[in-house]
Amino acid sequence: MYAADDSLQSPLGAVGKVTVPIPADGPGEVLVALRGGSEAFAAWCAGPVAVNTRVVVVDTFSARSVLVEPLPP
């Protein structure tokens, strides 16, 4: 039986939490639930986002860089 290679799973649509604040002009960091665990990504957003804010990944720039949007409270 063939097992899917989940190492290629995209973070697109995954929910995470900001661990390093995201400034308006640069990256912060998010911890995203992915592949049965959590992975850290450099994260950008249209505006600043505070630590512990829940976000969703809306785009990817590279394997370790994502664009996020805050989730409604």
Side-chain angles (χ1 to χ4, degrees):
M1 182 171 184
Y2 177 77
D5 180 7
D6 67 355
S7 66
L8 301 177
Q9 181 181 347
S10 169
L12 195 60
V15 173
K17 188 193 290 190
V18 177
T19 55
V20 174
I22 303 172
D25 60 349
E29 184 180 85
V30 295
L31 196 59
V32 177
L34 193 63
R35 294 185 262 279
S38 295
E39 296 186 28
F41 291 86
W44 281 259
C45 189
V49 184
V51 170
N52 293 325
T53 301
R54 287 180 40 135
V55 294
V56 63
V57 177
V58 296
D59 201 359
T60 58
F61 299 122
S62 71
R64 303 307 309 164
S65 299
V66 296
L67 178 66
V68 298
E69 289 183 3
L71 287 173

Short mmCIF file of all heavy atoms in Angstrom, two decimals:
data_model
loop_
_atom_site.label_atom_id
_atom_site.label_comp_id
_atom_site.label_asym_id
_atom_site.label_seq_id
_atom_site.Cartn_x
_atom_site.Cartn_y
_atom_site.Cartn_z
N MET A 1 0.84 -1.18 0.00
CA MET A 1 0.00 0.00 0.00
C MET A 1 0.88 1.24 0.00
O MET A 1 1.85 1.33 0.73
CB MET A 1 -0.89 -0.02 1.24
CG MET A 1 -1.82 1.13 1.31
SD MET A 1 -2.98 0.84 2.69
CE MET A 1 -3.99 2.24 2.46
N TYR A 2 0.55 2.21 -0.80
CA TYR A 2 1.33 3.43 -0.95
C TYR A 2 0.91 4.46 0.09
O TYR A 2 -0.25 4.78 0.24
CB TYR A 2 1.13 4.00 -2.36
CG TYR A 2 1.83 5.31 -2.58
CD1 TYR A 2 3.20 5.36 -2.80
CD2 TYR A 2 1.13 6.50 -2.56
CE1 TYR A 2 3.84 6.56 -2.98
CE2 TYR A 2 1.77 7.69 -2.75
CZ TYR A 2 3.12 7.73 -2.96
OH TYR A 2 3.74 8.93 -3.15
N ALA A 3 1.88 5.01 0.82
CA ALA A 3 1.60 6.06 1.80
C ALA A 3 1.98 7.40 1.18
O ALA A 3 3.06 7.55 0.61
CB ALA A 3 2.41 5.83 3.07
N ALA A 4 1.09 8.36 1.26
CA ALA A 4 1.36 9.69 0.72
C ALA A 4 2.53 10.33 1.45
O ALA A 4 2.68 10.19 2.65
CB ALA A 4 0.11 10.56 0.84
N ASP A 5 3.35 11.04 0.71
CA ASP A 5 4.49 11.74 1.31
C ASP A 5 4.00 13.07 1.85
O ASP A 5 3.82 14.02 1.10
CB ASP A 5 5.59 11.94 0.26
CG ASP A 5 6.79 12.66 0.83
OD1 ASP A 5 6.85 12.90 2.05
OD2 ASP A 5 7.68 13.00 0.04
N ASP A 6 3.79 13.16 3.16
CA ASP A 6 3.25 14.39 3.73
C ASP A 6 4.33 15.46 3.90
O ASP A 6 4.03 16.56 4.33
CB ASP A 6 2.52 14.14 5.05
CG ASP A 6 3.44 13.69 6.16
OD1 ASP A 6 4.63 13.49 5.93
OD2 ASP A 6 2.94 13.54 7.28
N SER A 7 5.59 15.19 3.53
CA SER A 7 6.63 16.21 3.62
C SER A 7 6.38 17.31 2.60
O SER A 7 6.94 18.39 2.69
CB SER A 7 8.01 15.60 3.41
OG SER A 7 8.14 15.11 2.10
N LEU A 8 5.53 17.03 1.62
CA LEU A 8 5.21 18.03 0.60
C LEU A 8 3.93 18.78 0.93
O LEU A 8 3.48 19.60 0.15
CB LEU A 8 5.08 17.36 -0.77
CG LEU A 8 6.34 16.63 -1.24
CD1 LEU A 8 6.07 15.94 -2.56
CD2 LEU A 8 7.52 17.57 -1.34
N GLN A 9 3.32 18.51 2.07
CA GLN A 9 2.07 19.16 2.45
C GLN A 9 2.28 20.66 2.58
O GLN A 9 3.21 21.12 3.22
CB GLN A 9 1.56 18.61 3.78
CG GLN A 9 0.26 19.22 4.23
CD GLN A 9 -0.20 18.65 5.56
OE1 GLN A 9 0.31 17.66 6.03
NE2 GLN A 9 -1.15 19.31 6.18
N SER A 10 1.42 21.42 1.96
CA SER A 10 1.51 22.88 1.99
C SER A 10 0.89 23.42 3.27
O SER A 10 -0.11 22.90 3.76
CB SER A 10 0.74 23.45 0.80
OG SER A 10 0.58 24.84 0.92
N PRO A 11 1.46 24.51 3.81
CA PRO A 11 0.86 25.14 4.98
C PRO A 11 -0.35 26.01 4.63
O PRO A 11 -1.01 26.54 5.52
CB PRO A 11 2.00 25.97 5.56
CG PRO A 11 2.83 26.32 4.37
CD PRO A 11 2.75 25.10 3.47
N LEU A 12 -0.64 26.17 3.35
CA LEU A 12 -1.74 27.01 2.90
C LEU A 12 -3.05 26.60 3.57
O LEU A 12 -3.43 25.43 3.53
CB LEU A 12 -1.88 26.93 1.39
CG LEU A 12 -2.73 27.98 0.72
CD1 LEU A 12 -2.17 29.37 0.98
CD2 LEU A 12 -2.82 27.72 -0.76
N GLY A 13 -3.70 27.54 4.24
CA GLY A 13 -4.96 27.27 4.93
C GLY A 13 -4.79 26.79 6.36
O GLY A 13 -5.76 26.68 7.10
N ALA A 14 -3.55 26.52 6.77
CA ALA A 14 -3.30 26.04 8.13
C ALA A 14 -3.43 27.19 9.14
O ALA A 14 -3.13 28.35 8.82
CB ALA A 14 -1.92 25.42 8.23
N VAL A 15 -3.85 26.86 10.34
CA VAL A 15 -3.99 27.84 11.42
C VAL A 15 -2.75 27.78 12.30
O VAL A 15 -2.20 26.72 12.55
CB VAL A 15 -5.25 27.56 12.25
CG1 VAL A 15 -5.33 28.46 13.47
CG2 VAL A 15 -6.49 27.72 11.38
N GLY A 16 -2.31 28.95 12.73
CA GLY A 16 -1.14 29.02 13.60
C GLY A 16 -1.26 30.13 14.61
O GLY A 16 -2.29 30.79 14.71
N LYS A 17 -0.17 30.32 15.36
CA LYS A 17 -0.13 31.36 16.39
C LYS A 17 1.17 32.14 16.23
O LYS A 17 2.23 31.55 16.00
CB LYS A 17 -0.17 30.73 17.77
CG LYS A 17 -0.32 31.77 18.89
CD LYS A 17 -0.05 31.23 20.28
CE LYS A 17 -1.09 30.30 20.78
NZ LYS A 17 -0.92 29.98 22.21
N VAL A 18 1.08 33.46 16.36
CA VAL A 18 2.26 34.32 16.24
C VAL A 18 3.14 34.13 17.48
O VAL A 18 2.68 34.25 18.61
CB VAL A 18 1.85 35.80 16.09
CG1 VAL A 18 3.08 36.70 16.05
CG2 VAL A 18 1.00 36.00 14.84
N THR A 19 4.43 33.81 17.24
CA THR A 19 5.38 33.61 18.34
C THR A 19 6.39 34.75 18.43
O THR A 19 6.97 34.97 19.48
CB THR A 19 6.13 32.27 18.18
OG1 THR A 19 6.73 32.24 16.89
CG2 THR A 19 5.17 31.11 18.35
N VAL A 20 6.62 35.45 17.32
CA VAL A 20 7.44 36.66 17.28
C VAL A 20 6.59 37.70 16.57
O VAL A 20 6.07 37.43 15.48
CB VAL A 20 8.76 36.43 16.51
CG1 VAL A 20 9.54 37.73 16.35
CG2 VAL A 20 9.61 35.38 17.21
N PRO A 21 6.37 38.89 17.18
CA PRO A 21 5.47 39.89 16.59
C PRO A 21 5.80 40.16 15.12
O PRO A 21 6.97 40.19 14.73
CB PRO A 21 5.71 41.14 17.41
CG PRO A 21 6.40 40.70 18.65
CD PRO A 21 7.10 39.41 18.33
N ILE A 22 4.75 40.33 14.32
CA ILE A 22 4.91 40.65 12.91
C ILE A 22 4.78 42.16 12.76
O ILE A 22 3.70 42.72 12.97
CB ILE A 22 3.85 39.93 12.05
CG1 ILE A 22 3.91 38.41 12.27
CG2 ILE A 22 4.05 40.28 10.57
CD1 ILE A 22 2.77 37.65 11.61
N PRO A 23 5.87 42.87 12.39
CA PRO A 23 5.79 44.31 12.19
C PRO A 23 5.17 44.64 10.83
O PRO A 23 5.04 43.75 9.98
CB PRO A 23 7.25 44.75 12.26
CG PRO A 23 8.03 43.57 11.82
CD PRO A 23 7.23 42.36 12.24
N ALA A 24 4.83 45.90 10.62
CA ALA A 24 4.23 46.31 9.35
C ALA A 24 5.23 46.21 8.20
O ALA A 24 4.83 46.05 7.05
CB ALA A 24 3.71 47.73 9.47
N ASP A 25 6.52 46.28 8.49
CA ASP A 25 7.53 46.35 7.43
C ASP A 25 8.50 45.17 7.39
O ASP A 25 9.57 45.27 6.81
CB ASP A 25 8.31 47.64 7.55
CG ASP A 25 9.04 47.75 8.88
OD1 ASP A 25 8.78 46.93 9.78
OD2 ASP A 25 9.86 48.67 9.03
N GLY A 26 8.15 44.07 8.00
CA GLY A 26 9.08 42.94 7.99
C GLY A 26 8.45 41.69 8.54
O GLY A 26 7.29 41.69 8.93
N PRO A 27 9.23 40.63 8.60
CA PRO A 27 8.68 39.36 9.06
C PRO A 27 8.68 39.21 10.57
O PRO A 27 9.47 39.81 11.28
CB PRO A 27 9.60 38.32 8.44
CG PRO A 27 10.93 39.01 8.40
CD PRO A 27 10.60 40.47 8.12
N GLY A 28 7.76 38.39 11.03
CA GLY A 28 7.75 37.89 12.39
C GLY A 28 7.84 36.38 12.27
O GLY A 28 8.38 35.88 11.28
N GLU A 29 7.28 35.68 13.24
CA GLU A 29 7.32 34.22 13.18
C GLU A 29 5.99 33.65 13.65
O GLU A 29 5.39 34.18 14.59
CB GLU A 29 8.44 33.67 14.04
CG GLU A 29 8.59 32.17 13.96
CD GLU A 29 9.72 31.67 14.83
OE1 GLU A 29 9.47 31.45 16.03
OE2 GLU A 29 10.84 31.51 14.31
N VAL A 30 5.56 32.59 12.99
CA VAL A 30 4.35 31.89 13.41
C VAL A 30 4.66 30.41 13.60
O VAL A 30 5.54 29.86 12.94
CB VAL A 30 3.19 32.04 12.39
CG1 VAL A 30 2.73 33.47 12.31
CG2 VAL A 30 3.57 31.52 11.03
N LEU A 31 3.95 29.79 14.51
CA LEU A 31 4.02 28.36 14.74
C LEU A 31 2.73 27.79 14.18
O LEU A 31 1.64 28.14 14.63
CB LEU A 31 4.15 28.08 16.23
CG LEU A 31 4.61 26.70 16.64
CD1 LEU A 31 5.99 26.38 16.04
CD2 LEU A 31 4.68 26.60 18.15
N VAL A 32 2.86 26.92 13.17
CA VAL A 32 1.71 26.41 12.44
C VAL A 32 1.55 24.91 12.68
O VAL A 32 2.54 24.16 12.63
CB VAL A 32 1.89 26.67 10.92
CG1 VAL A 32 0.75 26.08 10.12
CG2 VAL A 32 1.99 28.17 10.66
N ALA A 33 0.32 24.48 12.95
CA ALA A 33 0.01 23.06 13.09
C ALA A 33 0.06 22.42 11.71
O ALA A 33 -0.71 22.79 10.82
CB ALA A 33 -1.36 22.88 13.71
N LEU A 34 1.02 21.49 11.54
CA LEU A 34 1.24 20.91 10.22
C LEU A 34 1.91 19.56 10.36
O LEU A 34 2.79 19.38 11.22
CB LEU A 34 2.12 21.86 9.42
CG LEU A 34 2.26 21.66 7.93
CD1 LEU A 34 0.91 21.85 7.24
CD2 LEU A 34 3.25 22.66 7.36
N ARG A 35 1.52 18.60 9.51
CA ARG A 35 2.15 17.28 9.46
C ARG A 35 2.17 16.57 10.81
O ARG A 35 3.17 15.95 11.20
CB ARG A 35 3.57 17.39 8.90
CG ARG A 35 3.63 17.82 7.46
CD ARG A 35 5.05 17.80 6.95
NE ARG A 35 5.70 19.08 6.96
CZ ARG A 35 5.57 20.03 6.04
NH1 ARG A 35 4.75 19.85 5.03
NH2 ARG A 35 6.24 21.15 6.12
N GLY A 36 1.12 16.74 11.60
CA GLY A 36 1.03 16.06 12.88
C GLY A 36 1.85 16.69 13.99
O GLY A 36 2.02 16.11 15.05
N GLY A 37 2.36 17.88 13.75
CA GLY A 37 3.16 18.59 14.75
C GLY A 37 3.01 20.08 14.56
O GLY A 37 2.00 20.54 14.05
N SER A 38 4.02 20.82 14.96
CA SER A 38 4.03 22.28 14.77
C SER A 38 5.34 22.67 14.11
O SER A 38 6.40 22.12 14.44
CB SER A 38 3.91 22.99 16.11
OG SER A 38 2.66 22.72 16.70
N GLU A 39 5.27 23.61 13.18
CA GLU A 39 6.45 24.09 12.48
C GLU A 39 6.49 25.60 12.50
O GLU A 39 5.45 26.26 12.39
CB GLU A 39 6.46 23.59 11.04
CG GLU A 39 6.55 22.08 10.93
CD GLU A 39 6.72 21.61 9.50
OE1 GLU A 39 7.26 22.36 8.67
OE2 GLU A 39 6.29 20.48 9.23
N ALA A 40 7.69 26.16 12.62
CA ALA A 40 7.88 27.61 12.63
C ALA A 40 8.12 28.11 11.21
O ALA A 40 8.83 27.47 10.42
CB ALA A 40 9.06 27.98 13.52
N PHE A 41 7.51 29.25 10.90
CA PHE A 41 7.67 29.90 9.59
C PHE A 41 7.91 31.38 9.79
O PHE A 41 7.33 31.99 10.70
CB PHE A 41 6.38 29.75 8.75
CG PHE A 41 6.09 28.36 8.28
CD1 PHE A 41 5.41 27.48 9.10
CD2 PHE A 41 6.49 27.93 7.03
CE1 PHE A 41 5.13 26.19 8.69
CE2 PHE A 41 6.22 26.64 6.60
CZ PHE A 41 5.53 25.77 7.43
N ALA A 42 8.75 31.97 8.93
CA ALA A 42 8.84 33.43 8.86
C ALA A 42 7.50 33.88 8.29
O ALA A 42 6.98 33.27 7.36
CB ALA A 42 9.99 33.85 7.96
N ALA A 43 6.92 34.96 8.87
CA ALA A 43 5.58 35.35 8.46
C ALA A 43 5.46 36.84 8.22
O ALA A 43 6.00 37.65 8.98
CB ALA A 43 4.57 34.93 9.53
N TRP A 44 4.76 37.18 7.16
CA TRP A 44 4.44 38.56 6.83
C TRP A 44 2.93 38.73 6.89
O TRP A 44 2.18 37.78 6.73
CB TRP A 44 4.90 38.88 5.41
CG TRP A 44 6.35 39.16 5.27
CD1 TRP A 44 6.93 40.39 5.16
CD2 TRP A 44 7.42 38.23 5.19
NE1 TRP A 44 8.29 40.26 5.03
CE2 TRP A 44 8.62 38.95 5.05
CE3 TRP A 44 7.49 36.84 5.26
CZ2 TRP A 44 9.86 38.33 4.95
CZ3 TRP A 44 8.73 36.23 5.16
CH2 TRP A 44 9.88 36.97 5.01
N CYS A 45 2.49 39.98 7.09
CA CYS A 45 1.07 40.31 7.11
C CYS A 45 0.92 41.75 6.60
O CYS A 45 1.89 42.52 6.62
CB CYS A 45 0.52 40.19 8.53
SG CYS A 45 -1.28 40.31 8.61
N ALA A 46 -0.27 42.11 6.14
CA ALA A 46 -0.52 43.47 5.64
C ALA A 46 -0.34 44.53 6.72
O ALA A 46 -0.05 45.69 6.42
CB ALA A 46 -1.91 43.55 5.04
N GLY A 47 -0.51 44.14 7.97
CA GLY A 47 -0.34 45.07 9.09
C GLY A 47 0.32 44.37 10.24
O GLY A 47 0.54 43.16 10.20
N PRO A 48 0.67 45.11 11.29
CA PRO A 48 1.32 44.49 12.44
C PRO A 48 0.40 43.50 13.15
O PRO A 48 -0.81 43.70 13.21
CB PRO A 48 1.67 45.67 13.34
CG PRO A 48 0.84 46.80 12.88
CD PRO A 48 0.46 46.54 11.46
N VAL A 49 1.00 42.44 13.69
CA VAL A 49 0.25 41.41 14.41
C VAL A 49 1.00 41.08 15.70
O VAL A 49 2.21 40.84 15.68
CB VAL A 49 0.06 40.13 13.57
CG1 VAL A 49 -0.80 39.12 14.30
CG2 VAL A 49 -0.53 40.45 12.20
N ALA A 50 0.28 41.06 16.81
CA ALA A 50 0.88 40.83 18.13
C ALA A 50 1.11 39.34 18.41
O ALA A 50 0.47 38.47 17.81
CB ALA A 50 -0.03 41.40 19.22
N VAL A 51 2.00 39.08 19.35
CA VAL A 51 2.27 37.71 19.82
C VAL A 51 0.98 37.08 20.35
O VAL A 51 0.12 37.76 20.90
CB VAL A 51 3.34 37.75 20.94
CG1 VAL A 51 3.47 36.41 21.62
CG2 VAL A 51 4.68 38.17 20.39
N ASN A 52 0.85 35.79 20.15
CA ASN A 52 -0.28 34.96 20.57
C ASN A 52 -1.55 35.16 19.76
O ASN A 52 -2.58 34.57 20.07
CB ASN A 52 -0.58 35.12 22.06
CG ASN A 52 0.52 34.57 22.92
OD1 ASN A 52 1.14 33.58 22.57
ND2 ASN A 52 0.78 35.23 24.03
N THR A 53 -1.50 35.98 18.70
CA THR A 53 -2.65 36.15 17.81
C THR A 53 -2.77 34.90 16.94
O THR A 53 -1.78 34.42 16.38
CB THR A 53 -2.49 37.39 16.92
OG1 THR A 53 -2.34 38.54 17.76
CG2 THR A 53 -3.68 37.57 16.00
N ARG A 54 -3.98 34.38 16.81
CA ARG A 54 -4.22 33.24 15.91
C ARG A 54 -4.34 33.75 14.50
O ARG A 54 -5.00 34.76 14.24
CB ARG A 54 -5.48 32.50 16.32
CG ARG A 54 -5.29 31.69 17.59
CD ARG A 54 -6.53 30.96 17.96
NE ARG A 54 -7.16 30.42 16.74
CZ ARG A 54 -7.64 29.20 16.61
NH1 ARG A 54 -7.62 28.39 17.62
NH2 ARG A 54 -8.17 28.79 15.50
N VAL A 55 -3.67 33.07 13.57
CA VAL A 55 -3.63 33.49 12.17
C VAL A 55 -3.89 32.30 11.26
O VAL A 55 -3.78 31.14 11.68
CB VAL A 55 -2.27 34.12 11.81
CG1 VAL A 55 -2.05 35.42 12.56
CG2 VAL A 55 -1.12 33.15 12.06
N VAL A 56 -4.21 32.60 10.00
CA VAL A 56 -4.35 31.56 8.98
C VAL A 56 -3.37 31.89 7.86
O VAL A 56 -3.18 33.06 7.51
CB VAL A 56 -5.80 31.45 8.46
CG1 VAL A 56 -6.26 32.72 7.78
CG2 VAL A 56 -5.95 30.26 7.53
N VAL A 57 -2.73 30.86 7.30
CA VAL A 57 -1.80 31.03 6.20
C VAL A 57 -2.60 31.21 4.91
O VAL A 57 -3.40 30.35 4.55
CB VAL A 57 -0.85 29.82 6.08
CG1 VAL A 57 0.07 29.99 4.88
CG2 VAL A 57 -0.04 29.65 7.36
N VAL A 58 -2.38 32.35 4.21
CA VAL A 58 -3.12 32.63 2.98
C VAL A 58 -2.26 32.53 1.73
O VAL A 58 -2.80 32.50 0.61
CB VAL A 58 -3.82 34.01 3.04
CG1 VAL A 58 -4.88 34.03 4.13
CG2 VAL A 58 -2.82 35.14 3.26
N ASP A 59 -0.94 32.50 1.89
CA ASP A 59 -0.05 32.36 0.74
C ASP A 59 1.32 31.90 1.24
O ASP A 59 1.63 32.03 2.42
CB ASP A 59 0.08 33.68 -0.01
CG ASP A 59 0.56 33.52 -1.45
OD1 ASP A 59 0.81 32.37 -1.88
OD2 ASP A 59 0.66 34.54 -2.15
N THR A 60 2.12 31.38 0.33
CA THR A 60 3.50 30.99 0.67
C THR A 60 4.46 31.70 -0.27
O THR A 60 4.16 31.89 -1.45
CB THR A 60 3.69 29.46 0.55
OG1 THR A 60 3.38 29.05 -0.78
CG2 THR A 60 2.82 28.71 1.53
N PHE A 61 5.61 32.11 0.28
CA PHE A 61 6.66 32.75 -0.53
C PHE A 61 7.76 31.76 -0.83
O PHE A 61 8.42 31.84 -1.86
CB PHE A 61 7.27 33.95 0.22
CG PHE A 61 6.27 35.03 0.53
CD1 PHE A 61 6.06 35.42 1.84
CD2 PHE A 61 5.56 35.66 -0.46
CE1 PHE A 61 5.16 36.42 2.15
CE2 PHE A 61 4.65 36.66 -0.17
CZ PHE A 61 4.45 37.04 1.13
N SER A 62 8.01 30.86 0.10
CA SER A 62 9.03 29.82 -0.04
C SER A 62 8.66 28.70 0.92
O SER A 62 7.63 28.76 1.58
CB SER A 62 10.41 30.39 0.29
OG SER A 62 10.53 30.64 1.68
N ALA A 63 9.53 27.73 1.04
CA ALA A 63 9.25 26.59 1.92
C ALA A 63 9.13 26.99 3.38
O ALA A 63 8.47 26.31 4.16
CB ALA A 63 10.34 25.54 1.75
N ARG A 64 9.76 28.10 3.80
CA ARG A 64 9.74 28.51 5.21
C ARG A 64 9.20 29.92 5.42
O ARG A 64 9.35 30.48 6.50
CB ARG A 64 11.16 28.44 5.80
CG ARG A 64 11.83 27.10 5.72
CD ARG A 64 11.11 25.89 6.25
NE ARG A 64 10.59 26.02 7.58
CZ ARG A 64 9.67 25.22 8.10
NH1 ARG A 64 9.18 24.23 7.38
NH2 ARG A 64 9.25 25.37 9.31
N SER A 65 8.56 30.54 4.41
CA SER A 65 8.04 31.90 4.52
C SER A 65 6.59 31.94 4.05
O SER A 65 6.27 31.44 2.96
CB SER A 65 8.86 32.87 3.68
OG SER A 65 10.19 32.89 4.11
N VAL A 66 5.73 32.57 4.86
CA VAL A 66 4.29 32.58 4.57
C VAL A 66 3.69 33.97 4.75
O VAL A 66 4.24 34.82 5.44
CB VAL A 66 3.53 31.57 5.46
CG1 VAL A 66 3.96 30.15 5.15
CG2 VAL A 66 3.72 31.89 6.92
N LEU A 67 2.55 34.17 4.12
CA LEU A 67 1.72 35.36 4.32
C LEU A 67 0.53 34.93 5.14
O LEU A 67 -0.09 33.89 4.85
CB LEU A 67 1.25 35.91 2.98
CG LEU A 67 0.33 37.13 3.03
CD1 LEU A 67 1.07 38.34 3.59
CD2 LEU A 67 -0.21 37.44 1.64
N VAL A 68 0.22 35.67 6.20
CA VAL A 68 -0.87 35.29 7.09
C VAL A 68 -1.88 36.42 7.24
O VAL A 68 -1.58 37.58 6.94
CB VAL A 68 -0.33 34.89 8.51
CG1 VAL A 68 0.58 33.69 8.41
CG2 VAL A 68 0.37 36.05 9.18
N GLU A 69 -3.05 36.06 7.72
CA GLU A 69 -4.10 37.03 8.11
C GLU A 69 -4.60 36.62 9.49
O GLU A 69 -4.77 35.42 9.76
CB GLU A 69 -5.26 37.00 7.13
CG GLU A 69 -4.93 37.60 5.79
CD GLU A 69 -6.13 37.62 4.85
OE1 GLU A 69 -7.25 37.21 5.26
OE2 GLU A 69 -5.96 38.03 3.71
N PRO A 70 -4.83 37.61 10.36
CA PRO A 70 -5.37 37.28 11.68
C PRO A 70 -6.76 36.66 11.58
O PRO A 70 -7.55 37.03 10.70
CB PRO A 70 -5.45 38.63 12.39
CG PRO A 70 -4.55 39.53 11.62
CD PRO A 70 -4.56 39.02 10.21
N LEU A 71 -7.06 35.72 12.44
CA LEU A 71 -8.40 35.15 12.53
C LEU A 71 -9.26 36.07 13.39
O LEU A 71 -8.75 36.70 14.33
CB LEU A 71 -8.36 33.76 13.15
CG LEU A 71 -7.79 32.66 12.28
CD1 LEU A 71 -7.65 31.37 13.09
CD2 LEU A 71 -8.68 32.42 11.09
N PRO A 72 -10.55 36.14 13.12
CA PRO A 72 -11.43 36.93 13.98
C PRO A 72 -11.41 36.37 15.39
O PRO A 72 -11.26 35.15 15.57
CB PRO A 72 -12.82 36.77 13.35
CG PRO A 72 -12.61 36.17 12.02
CD PRO A 72 -11.26 35.52 12.02
N PRO A 73 -11.56 37.25 16.40
CA PRO A 73 -11.55 36.77 17.80
C PRO A 73 -12.69 35.82 18.11
O PRO A 73 -13.66 35.76 17.48
CB PRO A 73 -11.67 38.03 18.62
CG PRO A 73 -11.81 39.17 17.70
CD PRO A 73 -11.74 38.65 16.30
#
